[in-house]
Amino acid sequence: MKEPFNPFVINTYQGKEYFCDRENNLKTLISHIENDRNVVLYAWRRLGKSALIQRLFDELETSKDYETLYIDLLATQNIAEAIQAISSSIYEKYGKTSSGLSASIQKLLASIGATISFNVLSGTPELMLGINKSEQPSQSLSALGEFLLSRKKRIVIAIDEFQQISDYEDNKAEAVFRTWVQQIPEVRFIFSGSHRTLMEAMFTEKKRPFYQSSQLESLQPIALEAYTNFIIQHFQTAKKTIEPVSIEKIYTWSRGQTYTVQLVCNHLFANYKKVTDKDVDTVFNQILVQQQAIYANFQKMLTRVQWTVFRAIAKEEPLQNPLSKDFLTKHNLGAASTVSTALKALERLELVVKDEGNYLVHEVQLARWMASL
Ligand SMILES: Nc1ncnc2c1ncn2[C@@H]1O[C@H](COP(=O)(O)OP(=O)(O)OP(=O)(O)O)[C@@H](O)[C@H]1O
Ligand SMILES: [Mg+2]
């Protein structure tokens, strides 16, 4: 892995040194895995689920006791695409040997009707699922499972954006996956997702196939104290300074959301040697200006009432009672029933979320922008 130029990484996991804390989360996850328990890792957006999985995998691979597979279902629309994502990940990990494609992988790919073709532009082999030979999804999954069981080491699979399968055209996807997971009990699964309500529903509703099948781990923001130490240490290493009060200000503005804290610190680190309170405000402002064009689209996407309610919540958050007379009059929102309908739509889109009894605009930067309108 190449060292990043800026210690406050904003793309993906770049190694332990640039990863703040989460020691307890890591311990818990390892304990689940060492005791044969599957895990659901869920949280509000951009808190660091995917990075935590990478951090965990780094640890597991270093221990040499495990092999890890990371599968992202975000772009998948149906079971066939999910199977392709799983096969690609297996192929990336095990397919290439010094003498070409490994024989066991060749056999596996043939049995699930997958073909390898060369990308003419890059010259690299790409996995294509041969449509005409396509087997039944459950048979393909069985073949993939058998391959995984044939490995000597223990396998841990993380399926990120797992809530996606509840959106597949084929409404049997959850059941098909549940059966697969049960067929390969020696393989550990981490199901992760950024749509918190969908993830919770999949694993806690009695009628759903995954009901009570895994340990639910809800990821919380990194504690302010740990984050403060981490930020100060990276500034100090570069002979720069930032005060704990500034960090607290950043943390509150970001609602403790890892991505936003990282982004603000990334800018401050890049532009200042001795960070002042004014510099922090300047960066907040720059970040919002950069996103302005994107945020303006939200207004077009929503009905007029939805937009007004949305903006009012941003201005008042954390908001306890969106139907209270005070709130309705202050923001000229009209009848409580209209607001209630708009709110339901906003919640369904996960634009507004309810966290410990308070209504919040989910995207923290968007919230800060709307509050400033
Ligand atoms: N513990 C950490 N220390 C430092 N940076 C982190 C940490 N956790 C996450 N990050 C950074 O924060 C950003 C968001 O993290 P990540 O993408 O893992 O969040 P996520 O919860 O998976 O988001 P999404 O909801 O979009 O899937 C990334 O740039 C990541 O590198
Ligand atoms: Mg993620």
Side-chain angles (χ1 to χ4, degrees):
M1 222 177 271
K2 286 203 183 78
E3 293 285 310
F5 290 123
N6 189 310
F8 298 99
V9 301
I10 48 170
N11 298 311
T12 172
Y13 178 68
Q14 301 249 337
K16 265 189 216 179
E17 203 181 321
Y18 307 101
F19 188 82
C20 172
D21 195 41
R22 294 260 183 240
E23 288 301 316
N24 285 335
N25 301 109
L26 204 58
K27 267 200 208 119
T28 310
L29 290 176
I30 290 174
S31 160
H32 284 317
I33 287 164
E34 284 178 343
N35 292 285
D36 310 316
R37 299 183 291 247
N38 292 337
V39 187
V40 181
L41 184 65
Y42 67 112
W44 299 124
R45 298 239 29 219
R46 316 244 78 194
L47 264 183
K49 296 172 294 290
S50 304
L52 177 60
I53 292 172
Q54 302 294 350
R55 170 78 186 84
L56 169 73
F57 278 10
D58 195 354
E59 201 76 18
L60 295 177
E61 292 275 350
T62 317
S63 80
K64 306 244 181 285
D65 296 329
Y66 296 90
E67 284 172 348
T68 60
L69 281 171
Y70 179 83
I71 294 151
D72 189 346
L73 295 187
L74 186 64
T76 61
Q77 309 285 345
N78 49 47
I79 298 194
E81 288 177 10
I83 290 174
Q84 158 141 29
I86 298 169
S87 317
S88 296
S89 167
I90 291 179
Y91 163 72
E92 286 295 323
K93 181 135 190 139
Y94 303 112
K96 296 163 202 154
T97 63
S98 48
S99 56
L101 198 59
S102 87
S104 55
I105 284 285
Q106 260 178 43
K107 202 171 132 231
L108 171 69
L109 296 179
S111 76
I112 64 170
T115 47
I116 307 274
S117 55
F118 279 85
N119 181 327
V120 279
L121 294 175
S122 67
T124 50
E126 251 178 28
L127 196 67
M128 300 282 289
L129 211 60
I131 294 157
N132 47 359
K133 279 204 289 176
S134 179
E135 305 282 340
Q136 283 294 319
S138 51
Q139 281 167 14
S140 299
L141 285 170
S142 291
L144 293 167
E146 260 167 48
F147 173 82
L148 294 173
L149 291 182
S150 74
R151 304 291 311 169
K152 284 202 191 71
K153 285 189 188 176
R154 293 203 167 249
I155 309 260
V156 183
I157 301 183
I159 309 192
D160 211 348
E161 306 298 352
F162 187 66
Q163 77 279 344
Q164 198 66 24
I165 74 166
S166 65
D167 258 358
Y168 290 171
E169 304 124 20
D170 181 346
N171 54 15
K172 285 209 253 352
E174 280 176 52
V176 170
F177 270 99
R178 175 77 182 118
T179 306
W180 186 51
V181 168
Q182 280 172 320
Q183 275 172 358
I184 46 176
E186 294 97 316
V187 175
R188 284 287 61 70
F189 282 88
I190 298 171
F191 306 102
S192 180
S194 62
H195 199 299
R196 189 170 153 148
T197 40
L198 276 182
M199 286 295 284
E200 261 176 351
M202 275 173 85
F203 289 88
T204 61
E205 283 176 8
K206 266 205 177 118
K207 286 194 216 109
R208 310 279 287 263
F210 276 94
Y211 174 63
Q212 285 200 342
S213 64
S214 310
Q215 310 300 307
L216 295 175
E217 289 295 338
S218 130
L219 197 64
Q220 301 299 321
I222 295 168
L224 173 61
E225 199 188 336
Y227 228 145
T228 306
N229 294 337
F230 174 82
I231 294 168
I232 288 184
Q233 178 233 315
H234 279 297
F235 270 80
Q236 267 173 2
T237 308
K239 302 206 164 42
K240 293 171 183 252
T241 60
I242 183 164
E243 297 298 322
V245 285
S246 300
I247 297 174
E248 192 172 347
K249 179 171 166 155
I250 298 164
Y251 187 89
T252 309
W253 190 79
S254 309
R255 256 194 235 136
Q257 188 202 51
T258 316
Y259 174 70
T260 305
V261 174
Q262 290 290 119
L263 184 66
V264 174
C265 290
N266 179 292
H267 281 260
L268 288 169
F269 183 90
N271 298 336
Y272 306 98
K273 198 163 162 31
K274 233 179 138 180
V275 174
T276 66
D277 201 48
K278 197 174 121 265
D279 303 334
V280 175
D281 286 322
T282 308
V283 166
F284 287 169
N285 199 34
Q286 281 167 350
I287 288 175
L288 297 188
V289 168
Q290 268 178 20
Q291 303 276 11
Q292 204 153 335
I294 298 169
Y295 294 154
N297 274 327
F298 279 87
Q299 192 167 358
K300 293 184 205 136
M301 222 172 71
L302 302 172
T303 67
R304 198 183 53 79
V305 183
Q306 286 168 354
W307 171 254
T308 328
V309 173
F310 195 30
R311 196 182 51 191
I313 292 172
K315 287 186 190 284
E316 296 296 329
E317 74 163 54
L319 174 69
Q320 267 183 354
N321 186 0
L323 303 179
S324 76
K325 224 174 166 184
D326 280 355
F327 179 69
L328 297 178
T329 346
K330 183 169 171 195
H331 297 279
N332 258 326
L333 296 175
S337 57
T338 326
V339 172
S340 169
T341 312
L343 190 61
K344 283 205 188 92
L346 293 168
E347 280 191 85
R348 207 168 37 244
L349 294 164
E350 269 211 345
L351 288 172
V352 167
V353 296
K354 207 171 168 189
D355 191 36
E356 292 176 2
N358 293 315
Y359 288 89
L360 301 168
V361 169
H362 194 178
E363 291 284 339
V364 60
Q365 295 175 37
L366 174 61
R368 300 303 178 233
W369 178 74
M370 284 199 298
S372 72
L373 292 180

